[in-house]
Amino acid sequence: MASLIEQAAARLEQLRQAGVVLPESSAAGARPAVEPVPVVPQPATAPAGTSAPTAAAAVSPPARVPGAVRSKQVELDFDALGAMGLITPNAPRTRMADQYRVIKRPLIKNAVGQGAATLNHANLIMVTSALAGEGKSFTSLNLAMSIAAELDHTVMLVDADVARPSLLRMLGLPPGPGLLDVLEGQTDLSEVLLRTNIDKLTLLPSGTPQPRATELLASDAMRALLDDMAKRYPDRIILFDSPPLLLTTESRVLASHMGQIVVVVHAEATPQAAVQQALATIESCPVKMMVLNQARSDEAGAYGYGYGYGYGYGYGYGHEEADAPSR
């Protein structure tokens, strides 16, 4: 019978022939140092007729965390917007920009509770008109741009003209999901908001058109959404570009949730009877203001003329320059 040393030597020779590299210090009588070999678990054999899951399929996706979705970032072309007559950041001071400062000041004052009365949802402001083509969307955009220049407030501009949305088109942006999709439960608000390259301006598109738009705007989901929007960010002012009051029912439904309403009137074009009829549809709103659009300036360069009807508060009238683009 071979000695233990001979048996060890024979075993070492077998290991060398098998290609195992041994430490230099290993001697014939020394016990070779063996590194621990990690054990790789093998997948269980799948039953006949099925395939074993791949590594990618075996990993479960991370759970969705509410509020973790970031809004999409979009870039606004300031040069193109300026060419359309819109107010843009860092643009030279103009008379029209000053006029929008006059318009926004009482709206902001009411929104923060410093107005003549305490209002519910005071930071929800609807911009509308009696008829189409009076410049409400143009006014909504300029008012949003002006408020975004404020140091202490942010602004969300909502395209609530669900029948004929125009804000994204005016801003050079493609259509996408928005307000109606949120109301239908198809997506969350955070997923459809558009952050812009103006730090304090956020956009909410109208969303996918569908025939039940009026019912959605009048639903409990809409009331809950507006209440959340009004109270979530106390420094945020939310502007709604609404359909004309006399052409659709959506604007009248939306008006019932607003704290303030701005009515845009096309100077020398909108019949007085149409304005009065439009005002009658929103008489329940405590604060109604009017902007006279496309008014002509006098020879001295003063602000254009305006007219009112003694409703709501008697302040906040503003007028655009005669050469401002028609919208």
Side-chain angles (χ1 to χ4, degrees):
M1 179 178 294
S3 65
L4 293 176
I5 295 177
E6 290 173 343
Q7 292 177 8
R11 179 58 178 163
L12 289 173
E13 183 61 24
Q14 291 175 356
L15 292 174
R16 290 192 184 94
Q17 292 177 2
V20 177
V21 179
L22 299 175
E24 294 296 333
S25 58
S26 295
R31 191 172 188 176
V34 180
E35 293 291 334
V37 180
V39 178
V40 179
Q42 299 298 320
T45 304
T50 62
S51 58
T54 62
V59 179
S60 300
R64 184 176 179 179
V65 179
V69 180
R70 287 183 57 83
S71 303
K72 180 181 178 182
Q73 175 77 37
V74 295
E75 296 291 320
L76 304 181
D77 186 339
F78 296 153
D79 292 336
L81 297 181
M84 294 171 57
L86 292 168
I87 300 172
T88 58
N90 304 322
R93 184 167 183 170
T94 63
R95 186 169 56 185
M96 186 172 69
D98 285 341
Q99 291 166 353
Y100 276 100
R101 290 186 177 97
V102 174
I103 297 170
K104 74 177 178 179
R105 194 56 54 202
L107 296 172
I108 295 176
K109 188 175 181 180
N110 286 333
V112 298
Q114 298 177 357
T118 301
L119 305 173
N120 184 39
H121 291 175
N123 59 337
L124 302 186
I125 304 172
M126 186 175 88
V127 181
T128 186
S129 59
L131 305 171
E134 300 198 59
K136 64 175 183 58
S137 296
F138 182 74
T139 301
S140 298
L141 277 170
N142 272 332
L143 190 55
M145 293 287 190
S146 185
I147 296 175
E150 292 287 312
L151 299 179
D152 302 321
H153 301 284
T154 62
V155 59
M156 178 193 295
L157 179 57
V158 182
D159 193 345
D161 193 346
V162 294
R164 297 182 61 184
S166 61
L167 290 183
L168 293 186
R169 175 179 53 80
M170 293 175 67
L171 293 172
L173 301 174
L179 175 62
L180 293 179
D181 303 274
V182 174
L183 295 177
E184 280 200 307
Q186 300 297 323
T187 185
D188 294 330
L189 181 63
S190 59
E191 296 177 345
V192 296
L193 288 177
L194 302 178
R195 293 180 294 114
T196 71
N197 48 333
I198 301 176
D199 290 340
K200 295 187 176 184
L201 174 63
T202 304
L203 305 173
L204 176 58
S206 62
T208 307
Q210 54 110 349
R212 296 190 305 130
T214 301
E215 287 74 18
L216 286 174
L217 293 181
S219 66
D220 290 338
M222 182 64 172
R223 282 190 288 272
L225 177 63
L226 291 177
D227 189 62
D228 180 67
M229 292 169 66
K231 296 177 181 178
R232 182 180 293 269
Y233 302 106
D235 66 332
R236 174 176 285 177
I237 295 173
I238 306 173
L239 296 178
F240 293 81
D241 180 33
S242 162
L245 289 165
L246 300 184
L247 300 183
T248 68
T249 57
E250 288 92 342
S251 56
R252 304 180 195 184
V253 172
L254 191 62
S256 64
H257 302 295
M258 297 292 109
Q260 305 182 74
I261 297 179
V262 175
V263 180
V264 179
V265 178
H266 191 171
E268 301 185 29
T270 309
Q272 180 174 328
V275 176
Q276 292 173 324
Q277 185 179 353
L279 294 176
T281 66
I282 56 173
E283 59 183 6
S284 61
C285 184
V287 175
K288 297 173 286 289
M289 302 169 63
M290 186 165 60
V291 172
L292 190 60
N293 188 31
Q294 294 294 306
R296 293 180 298 182
S297 301
D298 58 26
E299 295 180 357
Y303 294 152
Y305 56 85
Y307 54 89
Y309 296 99
Y311 57 89
Y313 289 94
Y315 57 76
Y317 294 89
H319 320 294
E320 294 185 12
E321 296 173 304
D323 56 355
S326 299
R327 292 294 183 272

